[in-house]
Amino acid sequence: MNIKKIIPILEWLPNYTTSRFKGDFIAGITVGIILIPQGIAYALIAGLPPIYGLYAALVPQTMYAVFGSSRQVAIGPVAMDSLIVAAGVSTLALTGSDSYIAIAILLALVVGAIQFLMGVFRLGFIVNFLSKPVITGFTSAAALIIGFNQFRNLFGVDFVRSNQIQYVIKDVWNNISTLNTHTTILGFVAIIIILSLRKINKKIPNALIVVIFGILSIKYLGKSLFDVAIIKEVPSGLPSFSIPEIDFQQIRELLPIALTLVLVGFLETISIGKSLEAKQDEYRIRPNQELIALGLGNMAGSLFKAYPTASSFSRSAINQESGGTTGMAALVSVAMVVITLLFLTPIFYFLPKTVLAAIIIVAVFGLVKVKEGIHLWKANKLDFSLLLTTFLATLFLGIEYGIFVGVGMSIIILIFRTSKPYIAVLGAVPDSDFYKNSERFKNVIIEEDVLVIRFDAQLFFANASYFRDNLDDLAEKKGKALKLIVIDAESINRIDSTGVEMLIERINFYKKKGITVYFAGVKGPVRDTLFRAGILNSIDINHFFMNIFTAVKFYKTGDREHQIKYAEYIHHTYK
């Protein structure tokens, strides 16, 4: 057993150098500066007191630095997961209450346990069922929901909180006239500052600057801005150790939202991890190890009052851009949060909630991928429909339903595509040994007595009938002149028992009609399956050819030179 695979920090820590530490230190400080105001803001999205955003930035980050396979991913509270937490927990308890907080912490334990078990049993492949259009549609809709839910803090109006956008928009429309002028102006000034600083240089810590701006505004213009809601008291000190109260009834109720968080958190981590991986050649992302690291982070975090966490797209990118190359950068960020919790929390007393809303709104609206939707509309209508369906389902049914609609649609499209793959009729290219698709190459020669078809997929139970029906239709169009069918199997990489039975049945069917069936370019594993299933009881071993040209030539001229060699090779292999 390779201990370094289980504990990836051992891959880089023994050879760690001071030159690396300089880059990690700067990156850790930079990410920490952004993480602290974001953590406070995201806790508000989750319906939790601000301090819990900082608690969520401690243990999960530390655990990931030790067990994560990526050395640059930044773990902690994130906007999307925070909204999912709010959507799920708010149905079980009053937002902000002690019971609500306890359930959110229990949710972290449940999410972590599922992630850990998935990693141990190597179930990371599940993420493959979430295609890029599903991810884009889900993220874009979730971003809009998060943004619109922050209008309550941006405008200073107690709008309804919901993960179904139609209810939020309706309430905003009905009550926008009651907005708090001071709150709204301060919030929009913060948005303008953030956007302006981004245009100047994306590396400028705009979140920190507007936080300082907001605190100073309230502190020195407090009399004029007396009606602006502020954070107020933020407790000092590190979170105490406590085991979440296990309530199996609550766990059952939390399972749908927990599974959503597992999928979304894993997706976020893998997506950003893969993009960072491509920019270096020192390490590789291991999906199952990522699940284990996320699981351990969430489980251990729940023992220290953390709610569910995942990787942050923005903080991970900043970590890499600032020179972070190992998990040491994450540990530096943790140290900054510890210092803040011990000594700096009183500073945030005057922090306006509208400034936090501004930070969140600018961050999440950047996740709405309009250009991706336009590109898919032009490039692939089916993928666009998948994106649109996921987007609308998430937007109007809720985040927890949107992700499952996306997964369901992905599976349906996968089944549709594999059940009706492309079938091509091939013709001979003049003066060559090649055969090409007759629909794409108009100059190919199609002979009356020969039908050459290519099936571009695995042949299994879901498409065996489709293959048979198309073969019969094409053979019928040839009429009585047809004497030879050549199945180009070069694109068939797998075949199951249903596919084999269908082929044997068709071979026998056409044999009675005086039509011979040849196979060309059959891959070794497919040929193994065919032979084990007894296809040689219906067809001669000499009816398998290296390519189409040899098969047709053998049929026309009886030239056995190449075929004898190939048949001898097959016979030697299977005798």
Side-chain angles (χ1 to χ4, degrees):
M1 182 181 292
N2 189 345
I3 192 68
K4 290 181 181 180
K5 296 291 184 184
I6 300 172
I7 310 175
I9 193 174
L10 298 178
E11 292 177 337
W12 58 264
L13 189 59
N15 301 315
Y16 195 69
T17 61
T18 52
S19 59
R20 275 187 182 273
F21 180 73
K22 182 181 177 181
D24 285 338
F25 182 77
I26 293 170
I29 294 291
T30 307
V31 171
I33 287 170
I34 296 163
L35 171 60
I36 291 164
Q38 278 191 349
I40 292 171
Y42 295 158
L44 292 179
I45 295 178
L48 296 164
I51 193 68
Y52 284 87
L54 299 182
Y55 292 164
L58 289 175
V59 176
Q61 266 203 110
T62 307
M63 296 299 289
Y64 186 85
V66 176
F67 294 99
S69 61
S70 173
R71 303 176 192 176
Q72 294 165 306
V73 163
I75 298 295
V78 291
M80 195 181 305
D81 289 53
S82 297
L83 184 64
I84 296 172
V85 169
V89 181
S90 61
T91 61
L92 303 177
L94 182 65
T95 302
S97 65
D98 290 342
S99 176
Y100 185 99
I101 295 169
I103 294 172
I105 293 170
L106 175 62
L107 180 59
L109 180 65
V110 175
V111 169
I114 295 171
Q115 288 172 327
F116 180 75
L117 290 173
M118 285 178 65
V120 169
F121 290 105
R122 308 186 68 79
L123 299 178
F125 69 88
I126 288 174
V127 76
N128 296 333
F129 288 104
L130 288 175
S131 62
K132 182 72 183 298
V134 168
I135 298 168
T136 304
F138 176 76
T139 350
S140 300
L144 286 175
I145 293 169
I146 292 167
F148 274 89
N149 271 277
Q150 282 306 301
F151 282 2
R152 59 191 290 119
N153 291 323
L154 184 70
F155 295 110
V157 181
D158 192 22
F159 296 128
V160 67
R161 188 195 298 270
S162 174
N163 68 341
Q164 292 172 274
I165 203 167
Q166 65 270 28
Y167 300 121
V168 182
I169 292 174
K170 181 182 177 182
D171 200 46
V172 170
W173 178 263
N174 291 336
N175 298 290
I176 192 67
S177 59
T178 63
L179 62 82
N180 182 306
T181 306
H182 292 149
T183 300
T184 305
I185 292 172
L186 191 60
F188 274 92
V189 169
I191 289 175
I192 292 167
I193 291 172
I194 293 170
L195 293 175
S196 301
L197 291 175
R198 278 189 171 188
K199 283 191 174 181
I200 295 169
N201 192 330
K202 289 185 178 181
K203 292 185 179 180
I204 296 174
N206 51 66
L208 180 66
I209 289 170
V210 293
V211 163
I212 295 170
F213 158 75
I215 291 171
L216 293 177
S217 298
I218 297 297
K219 193 167 185 179
Y220 294 106
L221 300 173
K223 290 182 180 179
S224 304
L225 304 174
F226 66 92
D227 53 350
V228 175
I230 58 176
I231 292 295
K232 295 184 179 179
E233 195 67 41
V234 179
S236 295
L238 300 176
S240 58
F241 174 85
S242 62
I243 299 173
E245 184 179 343
I246 306 298
D247 183 329
F248 289 105
Q249 177 59 35
Q250 275 186 351
I251 290 174
R252 279 195 294 271
E253 292 172 336
L254 286 172
L255 272 179
I257 207 75
L259 290 171
T260 305
L261 283 165
V262 167
L263 282 174
V264 172
F266 184 41
L267 258 179
E268 289 171 333
T269 305
I270 289 295
S271 299
I272 187 64
K274 287 288 185 185
S275 67
L276 295 176
E277 175 193 73
K279 298 177 181 179
Q280 53 73 52
D281 55 4
E282 292 189 5
Y283 66 85
R284 289 289 174 265
I285 294 291
R286 302 195 297 276
N288 292 307
Q289 185 63 34
E290 290 297 284
L291 278 168
I292 290 171
L294 288 171
L296 289 172
N298 276 315
M299 285 193 293
S302 71
L303 304 178
F304 293 91
K305 296 184 170 56
Y307 71 95
T309 56
S311 67
S312 163
F313 286 91
S314 58
R315 294 196 302 270
S316 298
I318 289 167
N319 184 34
Q320 188 268 335
E321 289 169 5
S322 302
T325 56
T326 71
M328 187 62 71
L331 299 179
V332 172
S333 297
V334 170
M336 283 194 67
V337 176
V338 169
I339 292 168
T340 302
L341 284 168
L342 291 176
F343 306 111
L344 304 179
T345 52
I347 294 174
F348 297 106
Y349 183 91
F350 293 105
L351 177 58
K353 291 184 179 179
T354 186
V355 169
L356 292 175
I359 294 170
I360 294 165
I361 288 168
V362 173
V364 299
F365 279 0
L367 296 175
V368 180
K369 306 294 185 184
V370 178
K371 288 183 179 178
E372 181 71 19
I374 294 171
H375 169 72
L376 284 178
W377 170 255
K378 294 176 180 176
N380 191 312
K381 294 292 192 295
L382 190 59
D383 280 350
F384 175 79
S385 67
L386 182 57
L387 182 153
L388 186 63
T389 303
T390 307
F391 176 79
L392 295 175
T394 306
L395 212 56
F396 296 110
L397 300 179
I399 284 179
E400 66 271 30
Y401 294 105
I403 192 71
F404 290 111
V405 167
V407 172
M409 284 291 293
S410 292
I411 293 171
I412 289 169
I413 287 176
L414 175 65
I415 293 171
F416 173 78
R417 283 173 170 165
T418 54
S419 64
K420 293 188 175 182
Y422 189 71
I423 296 179
V425 175
L426 308 183
V429 177
D431 302 320
S432 77
D433 296 349
F434 299 109
Y435 278 73
K436 294 293 183 181
N437 187 345
S438 59
E439 289 187 6
R440 291 180 175 271
F441 297 84
K442 301 302 181 183
N443 65 330
V444 296
I445 300 168
I446 304 288
E447 300 183 55
E448 288 186 4
D449 58 340
V450 178
L451 172 63
V452 182
I453 66 167
R454 188 187 70 221
F455 190 71
D456 291 341
Q458 61 173 310
L459 185 55
F460 69 125
F461 66 91
N463 59 29
S465 296
Y466 179 76
F467 177 93
R468 181 196 61 210
D469 294 343
N470 275 270
L471 174 63
D472 290 350
D473 288 344
L474 292 169
E476 189 175 341
K477 286 179 183 177
K478 284 282 188 180
K480 294 182 179 179
L482 180 63
K483 298 300 178 185
L484 174 68
I485 295 173
V486 180
I487 298 173
D488 178 12
E490 196 168 4
S491 298
I492 301 175
N493 53 22
R494 188 174 288 108
I495 187 168
D496 72 353
S497 58
T498 306
V500 176
E501 287 178 12
M502 180 275 299
L503 286 177
I504 292 173
E505 186 270 329
R506 287 294 92 184
I507 289 168
N508 293 330
F509 172 80
Y510 285 112
K511 189 186 293 183
K512 292 175 183 176
K513 291 191 167 191
I515 299 171
T516 306
V517 177
Y518 286 171
F519 288 89
V522 183
K523 289 182 170 67
V526 175
R527 194 168 58 236
D528 294 344
T529 304
L530 290 173
F531 287 5
R532 282 197 300 266
I535 198 169
L536 294 181
N537 294 328
S538 300
I539 196 171
D540 192 270
I541 197 169
N542 290 313
H543 288 189
F544 286 83
F545 296 82
M546 286 287 285
N547 52 55
I548 303 167
F549 178 79
T550 309
V552 176
K553 186 179 180 183
F554 175 73
Y555 163 72
K556 285 187 167 299
T557 66
D559 182 359
R560 299 177 54 84
E561 181 183 351
H562 297 291
Q563 177 54 12
I564 288 172
K565 291 179 181 178
Y566 187 56
E568 286 177 352
Y569 163 74
I570 295 176
H571 182 72
H572 177 73
T573 304
Y574 293 97
K575 68 179 180 179

